[in-house]
Amino acid sequence: MKIYKTADLISNTPVLASVIEEKETVWINPDLLPFHLAEKDLELSMKDIDEAEERLNRFAPFIAECFPETRAQGGIIESVLTPIPKMQEYINEKYQSALMGKLLLKQDSHLAIAGSIKARGGIYEVLKHTEDLALKHGLLSPQDSYKVLASENNRSFFRGYTIQVGSTGNLGMSIGIMSAAIGYNVIVHMSADAKQWKKDLLRSHGVRVVEYESDYSEAVLNGRKLSDENPKSYFVDDENSRNLFLGYAVAAKRLLVQLKDQGINVDADHPLFVYIPCGVGGAPGGVSFGLKQLFHDSVHCFFAEPAKAPCMLVGMATGLHQNICVQDMGLSGQTHADGLAVGRPSGFVGGIMAPLLSVIFTIRDGNLYEYMRGLLDQEGIFLEPSACAAFAGPIHLNHYPETKKYLIENHLCGKMKQAVHIAWATGGSLVPEAVRKAYRETYLEE
Ligand SMILES: *Cc1c(COP(=O)(O)O)cnc(C)c1O
């Protein structure tokens, strides 16, 4: 582990001066490239996303079999895209956001099974591993309906295998619930930030939860070590997994269909802005990667991070990626945004996003609760505080001189009336009522 001199870092990367003070800030990615140039050096492509989508389609009959709540959608786990005009009016009034165009909410908060965006990547990775094992051991032949995997015989086969993962909460829930349904032994290594109700829910599914007093990195480190000691154990590596990333990326293809269904066109004159909360980077990175593949320079991808744990900002702005953490900057990394409480970013995601990402915002914890209450009052939709980081984008797009400059330089100013803004709601529907109530009553000084 390297320790950097803060003064040196700040003189090379001035944005870090406000980062170390835990101020809300914005970073414009200077390495963003036109998509046709960026595309050449990407290690993954549209073909990889297509394959992931087809794999999810193959598993749909199995998912419908195991999870009745997915039957109406034929075993496809997908969320709705909801216009939120009252929220738009509200932020324009309360925060003078001057947001033109149309504001929509992508409700991954309400994805079946896991109640968060992790239902995309986490579940996809478990299914990919399951398909690999099933084909290798002759449980499936390519023409079979994957429903056969739900048979008692096949379930007892998977009981001989273990899946492990390190998690701040939501990833553990998606991996744990899906793995338990298939039959695996599951061990979830949970960081100190993980909420008690998430641990309880997992245990109710028969998942073994190991608790750590330290942060996410420690849970991952130990989980990986224990998994490596067991040849029949598979470790889901949130920091480096290409599979996880591709599971998230499939969201883009589904979103394209939803936009079309709502009569929304995305092109050079109708720009799309997406704002996604970011922890280690996999979820927002995967979704953005998919969107860039489809919409090229017409989509502008923004991440939002807690001011107390802006690991992707620190990694990308310094170019040090996984070799730096927020603790190196003197930050605690402790935040109310438990889904985003990550000190060290994924270097894999930072590298892929370097020519694709437009902007990163940071947000103070207190504002997460303000935006949460705002959305609940205006639209009657509950999100967990982490997910509300997405609103930093639409609220502040027109405030910072840096983002104003971005709009000018990208010739966007004349097109904002036709713009579409998507706040990506990353989690919340499984939060128990008592916890929701406590959130609604949380007011922070900061
Ligand atoms: C995990 C998570 C994210 C961010 O995903 P990463 O892959 O960690 O960047 C955002 N919001 C919620 C609610 C999450 O659980």
Side-chain angles (χ1 to χ4, degrees):
M1 197 182 294
K2 295 186 189 117
I3 299 297
Y4 300 95
K5 282 219 183 83
T6 322
D8 293 346
L9 287 170
I10 292 175
S11 73
N12 290 329
T13 315
V15 69
L16 298 181
S18 59
V19 167
I20 60 165
E21 290 177 24
E22 301 183 0
K23 281 193 183 141
E24 289 199 345
T25 186
V26 66
W27 174 72
I28 311 292
N29 177 15
D31 298 324
L32 174 67
L33 288 176
F35 185 75
H36 71 278
L37 296 178
E39 185 183 30
K40 292 186 197 149
D41 294 321
L42 296 174
E43 64 167 276
L44 296 166
S45 70
M46 198 64 218
K47 186 167 157 285
D48 298 301
I49 303 176
D50 291 339
E51 283 174 15
E53 187 188 30
E54 285 158 22
R55 183 165 290 108
L56 288 171
N57 291 342
R58 288 198 291 279
F59 270 99
F62 167 79
I63 291 172
E65 182 75 16
C66 298
F67 297 95
E69 71 267 32
T70 66
R71 281 185 198 155
Q73 291 190 80
I76 296 293
I77 303 165
E78 191 46 71
S79 70
V80 293
L81 177 66
T82 314
I84 45 170
K86 289 187 199 136
M87 183 66 175
Q88 185 166 0
E89 216 172 287
Y90 167 82
I91 64 171
N92 281 342
E93 216 159 272
K94 179 159 183 186
Y95 302 102
Q96 283 94 46
S97 299
L99 190 75
M100 292 194 284
K102 192 169 187 176
L103 179 61
L104 301 160
L105 190 71
K106 181 62 176 154
Q107 285 184 258
D108 279 8
S109 45
H110 293 66
L111 281 171
I113 301 174
S116 81
I117 195 169
K118 304 297 193 309
R120 299 185 184 279
I123 287 177
Y124 174 72
E125 171 131 18
V126 172
L127 297 177
K128 167 81 170 68
H129 178 62
T130 300
E131 186 182 60
D132 290 346
L133 277 178
L135 291 172
K136 184 171 164 210
H137 293 273
L139 308 187
L140 266 181
S141 50
Q143 63 277 12
D144 278 343
S145 163
Y146 279 31
K147 225 192 250 186
V148 301
L149 291 173
S151 74
E152 199 37 52
N153 253 351
N154 285 332
R155 285 180 52 79
S156 68
F157 168 85
F158 289 110
R159 250 170 246 136
Y161 292 84
T162 301
I163 301 232
Q164 306 198 44
V165 64
S167 173
T168 61
N170 285 341
L171 184 65
M173 292 212 293
S174 88
I175 304 249
I177 294 172
M178 180 50 78
S179 302
I182 294 168
Y184 292 105
N185 291 304
V186 204
I187 307 173
V188 176
H189 302 266
M190 287 250 186
S191 57
D193 321 276
K195 299 279 185 257
Q196 188 59 41
W197 69 267
K198 295 185 180 178
K199 298 175 194 167
D200 296 342
L201 185 85
L202 277 174
R203 289 186 173 123
S204 79
H205 283 262
V207 172
R208 228 181 98 202
V209 177
V210 183
E211 299 176 52
Y212 294 81
E213 289 192 359
S214 50
D215 80 346
Y216 171 76
S217 307
E218 178 73 21
V220 170
L221 211 66
N222 200 51
R224 189 197 314 271
K225 181 171 151 281
L226 289 175
S227 186
D228 288 349
E229 287 166 4
N230 176 357
K232 287 186 139 187
S233 175
Y234 180 81
F235 185 72
V236 177
D237 181 351
D238 198 15
E239 291 170 350
N240 298 296
S241 170
R242 272 63 177 167
N243 288 327
L244 206 69
F245 189 81
L246 290 169
Y248 290 120
V250 171
K253 296 190 71 178
R254 310 241 185 97
L255 184 78
L256 175 67
V257 176
Q258 292 182 324
L259 287 168
K260 279 203 175 132
D261 286 349
Q262 297 192 22
I264 295 170
N265 218 12
V266 175
D267 57 33
D269 290 325
H270 301 81
L272 172 63
F273 294 79
V274 291
Y275 310 97
I276 319 180
C278 177
V280 76
V287 170
S288 299
F289 174 77
L291 292 170
K292 291 301 278 191
Q293 294 288 330
L294 289 176
F295 299 118
H296 299 186
D297 300 323
S298 302
V299 65
H300 304 270
C301 299
F302 294 63
F303 289 177
E305 296 190 291
K308 290 178 184 261
C311 65
M312 192 54 75
L313 192 167
V314 169
M316 289 185 77
T318 58
L320 291 165
H321 297 296
Q322 79 281 13
N323 295 316
I324 190 166
C325 62
V326 301
Q327 286 79 7
D328 292 339
M329 306 293 310
L331 302 185
S332 70
Q334 283 170 6
T335 158
H336 285 239
D338 55 322
L340 315 178
V342 180
R344 189 179 295 278
S346 161
F348 153 62
V349 173
I352 286 205
M353 289 312 292
L356 301 178
L357 184 71
S358 293
V359 173
I360 300 179
F361 290 103
T362 69
I363 176 170
R364 305 273 300 179
D365 282 4
N367 284 331
L368 297 172
Y369 293 100
E370 294 300 327
Y371 303 164
M372 185 199 73
R373 281 185 285 269
L375 184 71
L376 195 58
D377 290 346
Q378 299 305 317
E379 306 280 352
I381 299 171
F382 173 83
L383 302 181
E384 62 185 271
S386 297
C388 297
F391 289 109
I395 288 173
H396 293 306
L397 181 67
N398 294 316
H399 288 167
Y400 288 108
E402 292 89 340
T403 40
K404 282 187 193 158
K405 185 157 163 264
Y406 176 89
L407 296 178
I408 294 169
E409 287 179 354
N410 287 279
H411 314 289
L412 290 161
C413 298
K415 305 171 183 170
M416 295 309 282
K417 277 195 187 123
Q418 304 101 266
V420 172
H421 304 270
I422 297 181
W424 209 283
T426 46
S429 64
L430 295 188
V431 177
E433 184 46 45
V435 179
R436 291 183 190 208
K437 181 161 183 290
Y439 284 160
R440 286 198 300 273
E441 291 164 2
T442 302
Y443 293 84
L444 302 178
E445 288 292 308
E446 45 198 65

